Amino acid sequence: QVQLVESGGGLVQAGDSLRLSCAASGRTFNSYTVAWFRQAPGKERYFVASIRWSAGSTYYTDSVKGRFTISRDNAKNTVYLQMNSLKPEDTAVYYCAADVRAIPRTYTYWGQGTQVTVSS
């Protein structure tokens, strides 16, 4: 069983930066794919970025390419999402998810989410 805890959300202004963290307990992230999703009010949850732990390969949705960076810290068993040049449309609850499959269609483990609010 994997438990995921997100942190780092907050209220910022457009153009600012935030770094979200996703810490895992119960099992190491080795051989897992870890992803960030976000859900804005009244909208569905959408994929933001993912990282394949073993290979370090990363994927991003087009709207965040060049602004967001997903990375991992092996020693801390933690995945980060560095968000730069934030825009009001980035406002959402951000969720961390993990799965053992390399390219998951669905993710098995989810965190509770952290709120990111970007004011204009």
Side-chain angles (χ1 to χ4, degrees):
Q1 192 74 11
V2 176
Q3 292 80 41
L4 305 175
V5 178
E6 304 99 330
S7 61
L11 172 62
V12 297
Q13 294 186 333
D16 286 350
S17 298
L18 276 176
R19 188 179 78 161
L20 305 183
S21 300
C22 174
S25 61
R27 187 169 291 181
T28 63
F29 270 147
N30 289 344
S31 302
Y32 276 73
T33 297
V34 183
W36 287 96
F37 289 77
R38 65 186 180 186
Q39 186 169 19
K43 296 188 177 182
E44 296 182 1
R45 189 173 301 184
Y46 290 104
F47 170 85
V48 176
S50 67
I51 185 167
R52 182 62 182 165
W53 194 272
S54 55
S57 50
T58 58
Y59 301 92
Y60 299 91
T61 192
D62 286 345
S63 62
V64 307
K65 285 180 181 177
R67 299 189 300 124
F68 291 11
T69 303
I70 190 169
S71 62
R72 70 193 191 290
D73 185 321
N74 291 344
K76 296 182 178 180
N77 209 33
T78 298
V79 170
Y80 302 101
L81 184 68
Q82 177 66 43
M83 306 186 295
N84 298 329
S85 303
L86 283 162
K87 304 175 181 179
E89 51 264 42
D90 294 319
T91 295
V93 177
Y94 283 71
Y95 296 91
C96 176
D99 197 275
V100 294
R101 292 167 290 183
I103 307 177
R105 290 183 175 272
T106 59
Y107 283 77
T108 302
Y109 304 104
W110 291 85
Q112 82 288 350
T114 185
Q115 177 70 47
V116 172
T117 303
V118 184
S119 64
S120 57

